[in-house]
Amino acid sequence: MPTERLTELPADALALITERTGPVIKYETVGGGLNSEIAARIHTADTTAFVKGLRSGHPRAWTQKREADINPHVRGIAPALLWRAEAGGWDLIAFEDADGRHADYTPGSPDLPLIADTLAHLSTITAPEDVTVRTMPDRMRNHTPDPDLFDGAALLHTDWFPTNVLIHEDRVRVVDWAWASRGAAWIDAALWTVWLIRSGHTPAQAEQWAARVPAWTSAPRPAVDAFAAATVSVWEEITQHDPEPWTLDMLTAARTWHNSR
C-alpha cells in the first residue's frame, strides 16, 4: 500500500537533518512516490540535498537500509548517497540533489533512447553479495509455476514508475531503489515494456525499445512469456488491494502485453 507523504517536516526530523547539514535555510517537500513519509529538498548555505525517510517503526523502514546499501553499486545511475541518520524515531537518508524532470514514456519522447541506454548499462551490473535483496524467483513464486525461469545474478531496480526516472539534459538518474532485486538481466527491460504500453505504445513498439537492451535480445522466449503471464497476476493482486486508476491501467497494459505474446 502507498505510504502517506508528509507535506511538512516534523520538528524532530528537521532537527536530525540539521545535525547532519548545519542550519537549514529552507526546504521543499516533494510530491510523487509511494514509499516514503518524508521526501524533501533541503537547502543550506553551502549545498542542497534530497532527504527521504520513514519513522523507525514503519513497516517499510527496511527499505532505508536497502537503498543505502545498494547505492555504492549504482554510482553514475543513481544520485550518490551523502549520509544516513537513525535517531529520534526517524530513519533518514540523504542523496546529492539531482536536477531533472520525470521521464516521459510516451511514443516519440526523446527520453526513450536515454532510458534504454541506462537499462542496458544497469543490466550489466551484478547484484552485490554483501547486500541482502530478494530474488525474482522468490518475488514471483506466487504468480507463476516456473519462478526459476527468472533466476539470475543481475542487480534489478524493478520499479520503473516514471517519477523514479529523472531526466536532465542528456543524463538519466534512477531513484528509489527500495525494491532492488536479484534476477535475470532482461527483467528490468520487461518491466519497462509494460510501462511503455501503459504510456501509449503498442506491444511491438514497446518491445522494440526493450530490444535496445542486449540482455533482452538474448532472453529465452519461454522465460519472457512466463514473465508476461506472471506480471498480469502481480497487477491483479495489486488492484485487488489498491484499485487506483493508474494500477488498473497497469493491469490493462500487462494483459495487453501478455496477449500479444
Side-chain angles (χ1 to χ4, degrees), residues 9 28 47 65 105 113-114 117 125 127 173 188 202-203 228:
L9 292 183
E28 305 103 23
T47 190
K65 176 174 171 51
Y105 288 170
L114 300 175
D117 288 346
I125 298 176
R173 295 288 190 90
D188 270 334
T202 66

Side-chain angles (χ1 to χ4, degrees), residues 9-60:
L9 292 183
D12 47 2
L14 184 57
L16 183 57
I17 293 170
T18 301
E19 288 179 9
R20 290 298 188 115
T21 66
V24 173
I25 296 173
K26 65 176 181 177
Y27 70 82
E28 305 103 23
T29 56
V30 178
L34 305 174
N35 296 320
S36 299
E37 291 176 283
I38 287 175
R41 188 165 285 108
I42 305 296
H43 303 275
T44 68
D46 301 320
T47 190
T48 299
F50 179 76
V51 176
K52 62 186 298 187
L54 292 162
R55 299 176 202 275
S56 299
H58 192 281
R60 288 182 179 164

Side-chain angles (χ1 to χ4, degrees), residues 3-7 28-41 50-51 102 161-164 166 175-176:
T3 298
E4 182 178 357
R5 180 66 54 81
L6 300 176
T7 57
E28 305 103 23
T29 56
V30 178
L34 305 174
N35 296 320
S36 299
E37 291 176 283
I38 287 175
R41 188 165 285 108
F50 179 76
V51 176
H102 297 151
F161 203 108
T163 58
N164 290 336
L166 302 179
V175 302
D176 198 348

Side-chain angles (χ1 to χ4, degrees), residues 7-251:
T7 57
E8 298 288 338
L9 292 183
D12 47 2
L14 184 57
L16 183 57
I17 293 170
T18 301
E19 288 179 9
R20 290 298 188 115
T21 66
V24 173
I25 296 173
K26 65 176 181 177
Y27 70 82
E28 305 103 23
T29 56
V30 178
L34 305 174
N35 296 320
S36 299
E37 291 176 283
I38 287 175
R41 188 165 285 108
I42 305 296
H43 303 275
T44 68
D46 301 320
T47 190
T48 299
F50 179 76
V51 176
K52 62 186 298 187
L54 292 162
R55 299 176 202 275
S56 299
H58 192 281
R60 288 182 179 164
W62 58 269
T63 63
Q64 297 289 102
K65 176 174 171 51
R66 169 77 50 79
E67 287 210 60
D69 289 347
I70 285 291
N71 189 262
H73 302 278
V74 289
R75 291 291 172 88
I77 297 177
L81 178 73
L82 301 177
W83 49 262
R84 182 182 179 206
E86 298 175 90
W90 288 97
D91 189 333
L92 306 178
I93 46 178
F95 299 93
E96 64 177 350
D97 188 44
D99 288 333
R101 55 176 174 76
H102 297 151
D104 178 2
Y105 288 170
T106 58
S109 167
D111 299 348
L112 300 177
L114 300 175
I115 299 166
D117 288 346
T118 299
L119 280 159
H121 179 192
L122 177 57
S123 70
T124 67
I125 298 176
T126 300
E129 295 291 342
D130 60 340
V131 179
T132 300
V133 295
R134 290 184 69 185
T135 69
M136 289 308 295
D138 180 51
R139 285 183 57 175
M140 304 298 272
R141 195 165 303 281
N142 294 331
H143 301 284
T144 179
D146 300 303
D148 288 343
L149 291 173
F150 314 143
D151 196 19
L155 176 63
L156 306 170
H157 182 275
T158 79
D159 188 3
W160 292 92
F161 203 108
T163 58
N164 290 336
V165 182
L166 302 179
I167 309 292
H168 180 63
E169 297 177 347
D170 61 350
R171 186 172 187 183
V172 177
R173 295 288 190 90
V174 183
V175 302
D176 198 348
W177 292 79
W179 301 102
S181 301
R182 179 193 303 269
W186 51 265
I187 286 176
D188 270 334
L191 292 168
W192 189 46
T193 295
V194 182
W195 279 102
L196 292 178
I197 295 170
R198 189 247 185 179
S199 300
H201 297 256
T202 66
Q205 290 169 335
E207 290 194 355
Q208 285 176 353
W209 283 109
R212 294 199 176 201
V213 180
W216 168 272
T217 61
S218 61
R221 185 180 180 90
V224 179
D225 289 346
F227 191 81
T231 301
V232 172
S233 177
V234 168
W235 285 106
E236 286 175 342
E237 180 178 87
I238 290 171
T239 54
Q240 287 177 2
H241 301 287
D242 186 22
E244 298 291 333
W246 77 270
T247 63
L248 295 169
D249 286 347
M250 288 299 292
L251 174 57

